[in-house]
Every structure is written in C-alpha cells, then in structure tokens.
C-alpha cells in the first residue's frame, strides 16, 4: 500500500475528532490505537469488498475451526500492508511512541495452543498467497483465561478482549442466520475480521459467530415482574458464545460444548450454502466443484450430518446424492493420537441437543454398518471396532473419516503412526484418503514482525524474497564460514535477549543475565510434553553446582511459559514445582549468577513474539510418539535457536532439514518405547541406577520441596514410581542430562555455535505455513490463486 503521510494524518485526526472529540496532540494511547485501527480498516475496505466479489466466482476453501489464536492485529496488519516503518516514523514525528500504541491492543486469544495458532497462521498464508480461503469460528466473549501465579500456583482470571470493543471486527447483521436446537433456536450474528495478506491487495475473511436470543426479553414474563425468568432465555442463548473451553486434551463431553460446536457449524454451513445458491442456484451436485471444507480436528465434525440435513431436509436432495456431495466436500485433519482427547458424544446428550442431527447421524451409521458387514463378513471384531456409534457413544473421528475424501496428520511421523496404529483399520479400508501435511508457521509474524533485527539482516544478505518464499533462506548457507555474518547473528541474538530481559524486569521484576544461555520451554503444560523432565534436570544441576562450586559451567537461564487446563491437577502441580524450585535456586546467593529459573506468567501470542527471538535452546522433549507435530519448534528454529529434542513430531523433520549434528537429539525413539513397553518398563531401574536421579525424585516427598499441603507432589511421585511413569521421564533423564551438559560445553565456542544457528535458520524454509497451505490447496482443496486487480 502506498503511504501518504498527509492523507493518514488527515484521516487520523478526523477519526479522533469524530469518535472521541479529541485532537491528535491530546489523544490518549488508547484513542490513538482505536483511531489508527479504524483508519486501517477504512483504507482496506474497498480491497476487502473486491476480494469477496472475486472469490464468490471461484472454488473456495472454508476452514472450520473451534479456535483461532490470532494474537494482536495492528502490528501485523501494518507490516502486511508494508507501511509499518512509515507509521512508526510518522507517529514519532508527532511525539507518539508506537510501542505504547501497540500495547493498547488485547490479544484475540480464541484458542488454547498449537491447534488454534496453526489456524491463525493458515489465515495469513491463504491471504498472502491470494487463495480463496475463509475461516469460520465462534466469537467467544472470553478467550483463554489470563494466568496469574499465587504462591507458585496457577490462578485463572477471565480474559475480556471485547471489553472496549474490537476495531478489527465488522458486524454483518444482513448475514444473520437462525440455528435450531432441539428445544430452542438462537440467532447467529456474524462478525468479520479482515485478513490482510503480505504484499498483495487481497484481503481475506475470518467470520466469527456470536450467539443471541431470538426474543431478547420475554415481555409477557417481564410484565409479570419476573425479571430473572424473562432474561433466562437471553442468558441461555448468549452462553453459547460466552467462553472458550480451556481444555486442550481430555474430552469433556459437556452439553454446552456440543451446543457451541453445532452453533458455529450450522451457522457456517447455512452461510456457505446460501452464498452458493446465489451464484449456482439449485445445482447442488456442483457443490464439490466450488466448495471445500476443512474440519480442524473433530470439533466441527457435526458439519457432516448438518450438511446432510440442509441438503436432504431443506433442499430436498436424495440421501444418496447428498452423501456423494458430502464426501467430496469435506476433509479432516487429526491433531492428536492421545486416546483421552478423541471426541465421543454420549447418545443421550446428542439426541437431546440436536435430535434431528442425531437421526441423520444414525442414518450414516447404519449405512456404514451395512458396508462394513459386506466388506468384512468374517471379521465381526473389526466391524465393531469401526462402527460410528458404539454402545451409547458416537465416535466423531470415525464419522469424520467416513464422511471425508481426505484425512491428514500434521507431521510425517504422526501420519505414519496414524496409518500404522490408531487409524490402521481405516487406512486399510481407504488408503487413498490418507496423506500428510506437515504443519508450518507464518514467517511474517514469527520473523519479520517479532525479530525485525534478524529480518533486516537476512534481507541485507539475500534480499527480501524470503518473506513470501521461505525456501530462499537456503541462500544463507553460503555465509556459513563468514565470521562477520556469524558474529552479527550472535549479536542480534544478544540484542533480542536484552529486550526480553527488559520485558521480564518490567513485568515480573526479575533480573536475568543476558549473557547466560537462554534455555526455553514454552507450550501448554502436559505430562506428555515433559516439563517435569526439564525441571528435574535443573534441580539435579543445582545439586551439582552446590557440591562442586568450581564446576566449569556457562551461566544458564531456564525459562518456562505454560498454561494448565484449570481441571488438570497434575499439570498445575508441575507449575508449582517449577516455581518452588525457581524460588530455591534464585534465592541461593552461592548460585545466583550461574543458574536462574524463570516462569513467565500468562504465556500468550504477544509474549511468544518476545520469547522465540531471544532463545538459544528450544526444548522439544515430548515422549516420542506423543506430540503430533509441534509448531513452536519451528518458530525457535527460524529465529536461530537450537533444538534440544526427542525424535517426535516435526522435530524429526527439523533435524533432517538442518542436519542432526546441528541439533541435540536425545532419548528413546518410538520403536524403543514400543520395545520397552513389550519388555516391561520398570521406572525403579533408572531411579536406582542413574546417579542423582533418586535424589531428585525423592525431593518431591522428603521435605526439601513443598506443595504447600496440596498433596500434589506425592501424587506426581506416585505417578512416576508406583504407576509406571507412563511418559518415561525417568528412563530419558540420563540422556537428556548428557545433552544438557554437551550444550553447555559447546556454547563456549561462539563461532561453531553461530554456525549451528545459521544452519537452522537457513534450513527453516520447509516450515513456512505457505508451503503447508499450498499443499492443502493443491492436494486437498483444489483451489487456485485468485488475485484482485
Ligand atoms: O496441534 C496440537 C498438537 O498437540 C501439536 O502437536 C500440533 O502441532 C498442533 C497443530 O497441529 N493440538 C492442540 O493444540 N490441541 C488443542 O489445542 C485442543 C483444543 C481443544 C480440544 C482438544 C485439543 O478439545
């Protein structure tokens, strides 16, 4: 976008005056933020409209996801419009600090973690690549909770991003639809967010539905002075889009959750079909030619029976014809193999919430049951295993696979495990449905925006084509022996570390040595992600340093950031444990300058943007086979952090791209785990035989550490020692510690360390979400670049 200073100034002043009746020189940061946002919205309005017009003529992909973890929009939008530097300069001339303006924006935190952030990166890539793709979800009034620490324990407080409204959303009352539940109906009111592509005029759309009552107040009841009952209907309806479920693993099977899912899925499909009919009339057989719908995990899978309902009940299409359309339209992405996360609905609940959808689901189930009987007449077990409705539970993943033409995992290893184990029966039945789509991240947010220093240096070296084609980074390899380049990327890392140090001093009052190694694990808290392994190593290291004060050791700062699901007791206990150990170590004057432990409160997208660029070590230490992909691992790599990881998820591909010698790979492989399980794993073996391990594990229960009486440390101890250490924390401890020591030695050689950094950056090209999205576009959705003029 052309930047015309006079025009911007004029617009901004106009907005401030009209909206807040304030002049530019007297406006508060909040007022400037709002006016700036609205000015951006007014400048893109025409392109946004034209993009919609163009897309309506061609095949479009719709990304149905219960979560979009967008973070802030202002900075990203300015960057993608190519006017960020100009705006910063222009504000500076007016005596306004851009950073202060940016900090007025709340994160749009409508997601839990990787799955939601992936959806957000995909939006950026679709728009940048001029691809006709739109997101659909729920406009949760409260996103993922804000996390606070009290006595080292997590406390949750509601997140309220809409408190002062959102400048990036446009309400579209003309597109409102009604969603019918068994007992009631609600209004679905859409709000659109523009998704501004980088270096293109195209502006894509993320449509979020808000729930409202059909009758805002029941006047009859109200007049009878019964105010509470009069508002009950309204509350019940609005509850649907009130809050994001903060659970990212265990399937809860809650009624409100099902209502949320059906609400946004039904609204989205009604919207899609309405627009289809405007262009193509009643030629429903053409739906797969013009519409492709991606189901982001099982959360939107109720879309399959819902499209059947719309076609059969509403439009009068024959069941058999409708089923053909459905199968060609949907595709499904699996993000986990954890059994406890696979969604199942209790028939009784499903029937109560969506009775007609239950009948249709039963119809699909019966149809498939007959197919199975014909396919495997001699294998009743297999028939039973694959049923969509088993006993009184509806198996959403099975419904998804049966109703889709493509099913994908999110990293090579993950897809292989799905095919060989979890979904083996299905892969045998439908080999052509299965494919891999290794995740990716957008380099616009995760390098260009979050690390402008490294971004401009890369551009200085190889030009700026990498911003749209990340494989260009490979050209950096020519500098692998260039001392000047190596020392510059080292210096940039130090600069980013200093920025993070400053942020943590301001927000948490912690003092960190920027010359220490920053060893970082940021992600949701989960047993399988093994933050416990990490903190055990730190505690062991602390004992070593105490016993051996002259130990040759480069000062290290261990940084953690993680939210735990509010009901996940063990995860919360691990947060307390990290903070407990942090307090002991950071308070020990003998150790002070050598070892530090920091738990970053309320880890979220905006904080992540400060952390990834400052990391030296990327901790990716899940039990092999458990992490579907990981995407944080890619953000670290792109910013020159070295992976300390197991061969799990996309770590495997990261090590392959950068060379295993440029990462620190440790621990059991998937096959080792299979073998050890078969043989019988006894955690008492490493406990008794690995030096120092007993000391660490016992600290949980011998009084050296304190859970303040909650009993959770004893629970964790028992999970390890009496209940089999499911995630092989003790088994992998020794190898992990060995790698930690290796890192500490290697870090001293600045040049060879910087070479590793450069190798990682240069080989991060594969992990752009642009690459991922192009694969989805070409191999699943069959959509084409559609650029507006
Ligand atoms: O999806 C994550 C995987 O754990 C991670 O390995 C992968 O990289 C990422 C993107 O593919 N899964 C999640 O983040 N899952 C959730 O957040 C989730 C949210 C609600 C649920 C279940 C899972 O009900």
């Amino acid at each position: 976008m052309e930047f015309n200073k006079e025009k911007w100034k004029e617009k901004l002043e106009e907005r401030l005056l009209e909206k807040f009746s304030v002049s530019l020189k007297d406006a508060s940061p909040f007022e400037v933020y709002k006016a700036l946002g609205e000015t951006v919205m007014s400048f893109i309005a025409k392109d946004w409209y034209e993009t919609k017009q163009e897309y309506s003529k061609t095949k479009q992909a719709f990304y149905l996801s219960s979560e979009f973890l967008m973070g802030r929009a202002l900075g990203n939008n300015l960057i993608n419009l190519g006017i960020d530097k100009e705006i910063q300069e222009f504000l500076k001339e007016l005596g306004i600090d851009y950073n202060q303006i940016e900090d007025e924006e709340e994160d749009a935190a409508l997601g839990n973690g990787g799955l939601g952030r992936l959806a957000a990166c995909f939006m950026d890539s679709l728009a940048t690549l001029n691809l006709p793709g739109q997101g659909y979800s729920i406009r949760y009034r409260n996103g993922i909770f804000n996390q606070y620490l009290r006595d080292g324990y997590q406390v949750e407080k509601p997140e309220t991003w809409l408190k002062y409204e959102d400048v990036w959303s446009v309400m579209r009352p003309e597109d409102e639809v009604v969603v019918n539940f068994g007992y009631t109906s609600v209004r679905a009111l859409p709000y659109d967010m523009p998704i501004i592509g980088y270096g293109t005029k195209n502006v894509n759309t993320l449509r979020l539905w808000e729930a409202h009552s059909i009758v805002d107040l029941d006047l009859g009841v109200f007049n009878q002075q019964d105010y509470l009952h009069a508002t009950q209907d309204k509350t019940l309806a609005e509850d649907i889009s009130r809050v994001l479920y903060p659970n990212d693993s265990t399937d809860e099977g809650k009624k409100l959750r099902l209502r949320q899912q059906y609400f946004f899925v039904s609204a989205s499909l009604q919207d899609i079909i309405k627009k289809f009919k405007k262009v193509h009339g009643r030629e429903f057989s053409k739906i797969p030619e013009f519409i492709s719908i991606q189901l982001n995990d099982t959360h939107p899978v109720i879309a399959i029976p819902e499209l059947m309902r719309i076609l059969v009940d509403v439009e009068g299409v024959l069941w058999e014809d409708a089923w053909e359309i459905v199968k060609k339209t949907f595709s499904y992405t699996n993000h986990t193999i954890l059994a406890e996360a696979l969604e199942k609905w209790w028939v009784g609940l499903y029937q109560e919430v969506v009775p007609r959808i239950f009948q249709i689901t039963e119809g699909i189930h019966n149809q498939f049951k007959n197919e199975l009987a014909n396919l495997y007449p001699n294998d009743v077990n297999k028939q039973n295993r694959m049923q969509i409705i088993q006993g009184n539970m509806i198996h959403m993943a099975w419904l998804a696979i049966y109703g889709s033409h493509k099913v994908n995992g999110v990293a090579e290893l993950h897809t292989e495990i799905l095919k060989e184990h979890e979904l083996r029966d299905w892969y045998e039945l439908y080999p052509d449905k299965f494919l891999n789509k290794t995740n990716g991240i957008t380099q616009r947010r995760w390098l260009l925006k979050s690390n402008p220093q490294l971004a401009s240096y890369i551009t200085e070296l190889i030009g700026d084509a990498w911003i749209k084609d990340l494989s260009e980074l490979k050209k950096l390899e020519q500098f692998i022996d260039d001392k000047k380049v190596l020392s510059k990327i080292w210096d940039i890392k130090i600069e980013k570390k200093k920025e993070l140090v400053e942020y943590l001093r301001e927000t948490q009052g912690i003092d960190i040595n920027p010359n220490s190694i920053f060893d970082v694990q940021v992600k949701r808290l989960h047993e399988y992600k093994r933050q416990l392994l990490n903190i055990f190593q730190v505690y062991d290291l602390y004992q070593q340093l105490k016993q051996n004060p002259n130990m040759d050791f480069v000062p290290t700062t261990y940084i953690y950031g993680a939210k735990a699901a509010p009901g996940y007791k063990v995860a919360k206990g691990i947060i307390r444990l990290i903070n407990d150990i942090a307090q002991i170590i950071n308070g020990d004057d003998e150790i002070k300058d050598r070892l530090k432990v920091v738990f970053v409160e309320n880890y979220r997208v905006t904080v992540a943007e400060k952390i990834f660029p400052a990391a030296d070590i990327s901790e990716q230490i899940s039990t092999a086979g458990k992490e579907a992909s990981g995407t944080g691992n890619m953000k670290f790599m792109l910013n020159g952090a070295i992976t300390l990881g197991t061969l799990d998820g996309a770590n495997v591909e990261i090590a392959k791209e950068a060379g295993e010698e440029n990462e620190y790979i440790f621990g059991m492989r998937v096959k080792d785990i299979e073998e050890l399980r078969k043989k019988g794993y006894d955690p008492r073996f490493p406990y008794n035989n690995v030096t120092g391990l007993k000391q660490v594990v016992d600290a949980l229960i011998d009084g050296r550490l304190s859970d303040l009486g909650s009993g959770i440390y004893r629970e964790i101890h028992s999970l390890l020692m009496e209940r089999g250490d499911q995630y092989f924390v003790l088994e992998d401890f020794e190898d992990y510690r060995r790698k930690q020591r290796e890192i500490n030695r290697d870090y001293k050689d600045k040049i060879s360390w910087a070479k590793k950094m450069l190798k990682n950056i240069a080989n991060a090209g594969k992990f752009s979400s642009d690459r991922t999205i192009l694969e989805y576009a070409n191999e699943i959705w069959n959509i084409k670049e559609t650029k507006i003029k």
Side-chain angles (χ1 to χ4, degrees), residues 67 112 114-115 247-248 257 299 335 410 439 528 627-630:
E67 307 188 357
N112 273 284
L115 172 150
N247 222 320
D248 67 333
R257 171 112 173 144
H299 321 139
H335 295 265
V410 290
N439 283 166
Y528 84 80
E627 189 70 271
S629 162

Side-chain angles (χ1 to χ4, degrees), residues 543-555:
Q543 314 293 334
Q544 301 292 314
L545 286 169
K546 290 294 277 184
Q547 279 166 24
N548 190 357
N550 299 319
M551 191 169 123
D552 188 23
F553 180 73
V554 180

Side-chain angles (χ1 to χ4, degrees), residues 540-704:
D540 174 73
L541 180 62
Y542 172 62
Q543 314 293 334
Q544 301 292 314
L545 286 169
K546 290 294 277 184
Q547 279 166 24
N548 190 357
N550 299 319
M551 191 169 123
D552 188 23
F553 180 73
V554 180
T556 302
T557 304
Y558 288 92
I559 299 174
Y560 301 80
K563 287 179 182 172
Y568 190 173
K569 293 236 176 64
V570 172
K572 288 182 142 179
I574 294 170
I575 290 179
R576 162 67 202 173
L577 180 65
I578 293 169
N579 285 302
D580 192 0
I581 291 175
Q583 201 179 16
I584 294 169
I585 294 177
N586 302 346
D588 187 333
D589 284 342
E590 280 173 34
I591 295 297
K592 245 193 177 151
D593 301 316
R594 314 186 73 191
L595 188 57
K596 188 145 267 175
V597 180
V598 180
F599 190 95
V600 180
E601 221 170 18
N602 203 24
Y603 176 64
R604 60 196 185 280
V605 172
T606 296
V607 177
E609 288 171 23
K610 301 177 200 297
I611 293 179
F612 288 114
D616 295 307
I617 293 296
S618 158
E619 295 262 4
Q620 308 300 335
I621 60 177
S622 52
T623 311
K626 296 288 182 193
E627 189 70 271
S629 162
T631 45
N633 46 4
M634 301 166 185
K635 296 164 196 167
F636 279 113
M637 180 193 200
L638 185 59
N639 283 278
I642 317 302
T643 302
L644 165 55
T646 48
L647 281 183
D648 198 16
N651 299 350
V652 177
E653 290 159 76
I654 286 174
K656 191 166 152 209
E657 293 294 305
E660 202 168 315
E661 68 283 6
N662 295 305
E663 319 291 356
Y664 294 88
I665 301 299
F666 75 96
M668 285 192 294
R669 318 300 198 234
V670 173
K671 66 163 185 3
D672 301 326
I673 288 180
E674 280 167 13
E675 278 164 24
L676 186 55
R677 273 225 181 85
K678 254 185 235 149
K679 209 176 80 186
Y681 166 50
D682 184 355
R684 280 170 304 185
F685 190 79
Y687 172 84
N688 287 317
N689 292 290
V690 175
T691 29
L693 186 53
K694 188 173 182 316
Q695 279 299 305
V696 172
V697 175
D698 288 352
L700 286 170
I701 52 168
D702 66 9
R704 280 179 289 157

Side-chain angles (χ1 to χ4, degrees), residues 386 401 416 418-420 423-435:
M386 296 179 78
I401 303 170
E416 285 312 307
L418 289 177
K419 293 198 292 194
E420 280 170 36
L423 304 181
R424 194 191 185 113
D425 291 334
W426 295 89
Y427 177 56
E428 279 170 10
L429 177 55
Y430 303 124
D432 298 336
K433 279 195 190 186
F434 286 77
L435 74 188

